[in-house]
């Protein structure tokens, strides 16, 4: 077909269109979408038009495009992410209420930590994490847990780099990261002081399903100078509860 | 093209494929998807294959298909639903902690109430609502609020029926529903005793944005015999806070 420049499937083009939307870029024109998705203008306009007709994208009064509620609904109502998040919510709420800092649930997704949930209170400190946002595995405390308890192949792939620096204290030296991961595996939790932001310390523990497999990381973002023990006690207890809740399939 | 039976777009077919997944049907074979989406077998297998390749669907070890985490991520990270839900979460958590019953946030979507969030505690009673699930506007307390404060055209369309019965006490008589909606508009809240389930009473209030437009309904699901006043006080306070939080764009 004339508009298919590189033999990629319609699904590929759809993913490229959806990928142009980000947490900080929630509305765009069809022309902007086409440029950012690297699609010919006519293809972009036709595809965006179809997606608006189907409700997956929405067009506002200024003819700008945003993600449709219908896409969120279809993606969410039967998703695995929702099941895990539902199992975790009661325990996460208690951690947030007691520690009063950001409380987060992350899974491994394509070599990054993908955050399924983030609960925050009015007193919670600085935090860059967003729901459905990602962070590099070697930088976030959640990522260190997923990496330390993940398979060896994943670990070697990440250690092979590149290890991006997200803050002055991020571990970007492979040897230092390897020692850190051995420590996380031995301790059963990860502490990441200043790895993401100089003012914060991430603390994370693994969440295991009924087979003992680590399926997620539960974390809090503390002030840099906070004592971590109270948070660790709450996180470990919550992780055990979430694992048990995952065992009861509904 | 040979496989395009009815001239529908690829986007239409994609929506039909995604729509075969529901809260109670989260894994299917490609053949089941094809049958339920009313697609020729070869089309279904090719489309499912493309969607798996792109990560929008996932295939497990038994070759069964489920919604991919990537689809959830793309749909969620820049969605309007997430912004509203984020603005509402701190207030919803307080309502849930104080009333100890299911606390829910719903918006109007294609003539139904779509639930963006549901917080529940271990003591919360019976509840049919699911996140990303829907209920008929005339039956749920949230729906009555969205209907009473929605535009006249919507109200007349719903009153014209059909008004499905979800429980013995659901209002299915248009005249009775019209009186109920006038009452909701006058009182500023909706009480739906036994409309969805005989054992529960839904109580909902409108959430208004900075222009005064009703953008959502906030509700709790109480035991049928519970007093509603404490819940109403909490709901009204939370709705005001959410409206104010929506005003601060981030």
């Amino acid at each position: 077909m004339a508009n298919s420049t590189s033999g990629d499937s319609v699904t590929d083009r759809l993913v490229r269109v959806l990928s142009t939307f980000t947490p900080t870029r929630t509305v765009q024109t069809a022309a902007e979408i086409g440029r950012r998705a690297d699609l010919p203008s006519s293809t972009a306009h036709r595809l965006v038009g179809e997606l608006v007709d189907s409700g997956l994208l929405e067009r506002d009064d200024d003819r700008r495009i945003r993600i449709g509620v219908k896409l969120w609904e279809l993606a969410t109502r039967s998703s695995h992410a929702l099941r895990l998040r539902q199992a975790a919510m009661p325990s996460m709420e208690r951690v947030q209420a007691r520690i009063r800092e950001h409380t987060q649930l992350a899974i491994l997704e394509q070599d990054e930590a993908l955050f399924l949930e983030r609960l925050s209170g009015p007193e919670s400190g600085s935090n860059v994490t967003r729901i459905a946002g990602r962070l590099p595995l070697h930088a976030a405390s959640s990522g260190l847990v997923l990496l330390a308890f993940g398979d060896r192949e994943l670990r070697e792939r990440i250690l092979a780099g590149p290890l991006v620096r997200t803050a002055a204290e991020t571990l970007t030296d492979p040897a230092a990261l390897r020692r850190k991961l051995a420590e996380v595996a031995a301790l059963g939790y990860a502490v990441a002081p200043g790895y993401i932001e100089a003012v914060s310390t991430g603390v994370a523990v693994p969440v295991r399903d009924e087979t003992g497999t680590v399926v997620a990381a539960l974390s809090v973002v503390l002030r840099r100078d906070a004592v971590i023990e109270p948070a660790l006690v709450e996180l470990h207890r919550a992780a055990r509860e979430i694992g048990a809740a995952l065992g009861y399939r509904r």
Side-chain angles (χ1 to χ4, degrees), chain A:
Chain A
M1 287 166 60
N3 284 327
S4 182
T5 48
S6 55
D8 52 1
S9 71
V10 177
T11 311
D12 289 333
R13 292 201 291 263
L14 174 69
V15 169
R16 271 151 60 195
V17 164
L18 296 180
S19 298
T20 64
F21 292 88
T22 69
T24 53
R25 190 198 293 148
T26 59
V27 275
Q28 305 177 83
T29 64
E32 287 167 342
I33 292 171
R35 201 171 59 245
R36 290 171 179 141
D38 197 19
L39 291 172
S41 172
S42 58
T43 307
H45 278 84
R46 183 173 42 76
L47 190 52
V48 166
E50 280 182 22
L51 290 166
V52 168
D53 288 344
S54 67
L56 299 188
L57 295 180
E58 290 171 5
R59 187 179 273 135
D60 68 17
D61 297 342
D62 301 330
R63 297 191 59 78
R64 294 185 313 167
I65 310 293
R66 64 181 192 188
I67 294 287
V69 171
K70 190 183 177 81
L71 181 63
W72 174 83
E73 179 187 5
L74 290 174
T76 302
R77 66 181 187 183
S78 50
S79 85
H80 175 63
L82 182 63
R83 194 176 83 84
L84 187 53
R85 183 257 183 206
Q86 292 269 63
M89 273 298 272
S91 307
M92 289 184 70
E93 283 173 14
R94 196 191 53 239
V95 173
Q96 206 284 317
R98 295 210 178 152
I99 305 301
R100 298 180 167 274
E101 297 288 2
H102 307 282
T103 305
Q104 312 174 145
L105 185 71
I107 61 171
L108 178 67
E109 177 70 9
Q110 298 164 313
D111 290 4
E112 292 183 293
L114 173 66
F115 288 84
L116 300 186
E117 185 55 86
R118 164 191 151 167
L119 297 180
S120 307
E123 306 149 58
S124 304
S126 180
N127 187 10
V128 300
T129 310
R130 291 170 187 271
I131 294 171
R134 294 175 177 227
L135 284 175
L137 288 174
H138 70 284
S141 62
S142 300
L144 292 171
V145 159
L146 296 170
L147 208 43
F149 295 98
D151 66 27
R152 196 169 169 284
E153 214 174 281
L154 164 74
R155 207 152 43 238
E156 294 307 323
R157 192 162 63 240
I158 298 296
L159 282 164
L163 297 170
V164 298
R165 182 177 297 285
T166 51
E169 292 162 275
T170 315
L171 294 183
T172 55
D173 170 45
L177 178 58
R178 194 182 289 277
R179 283 193 300 275
K180 179 74 181 180
L181 292 175
E183 179 200 292
V184 171
L187 291 174
Y189 62 85
V191 181
Y195 288 20
I196 296 281
E197 287 191 291
V199 295
S200 310
T201 293
V203 182
V205 304
V207 176
R208 296 174 188 276
D209 69 8
E210 61 273 34
T211 69
T213 307
V214 172
V215 292
L218 184 69
S219 62
V220 291
V221 183
L222 304 179
R223 319 290 156 131
R224 179 62 183 267
D225 56 354
V227 289
I228 66 164
E229 283 70 19
L232 262 184
V233 170
E234 290 294 337
L235 286 173
H236 278 305
R237 180 179 158 198
R240 277 195 306 273
E241 285 174 351
I242 298 168
L246 281 172
Y248 306 114
R249 303 202 169 241
R250 307 199 301 170

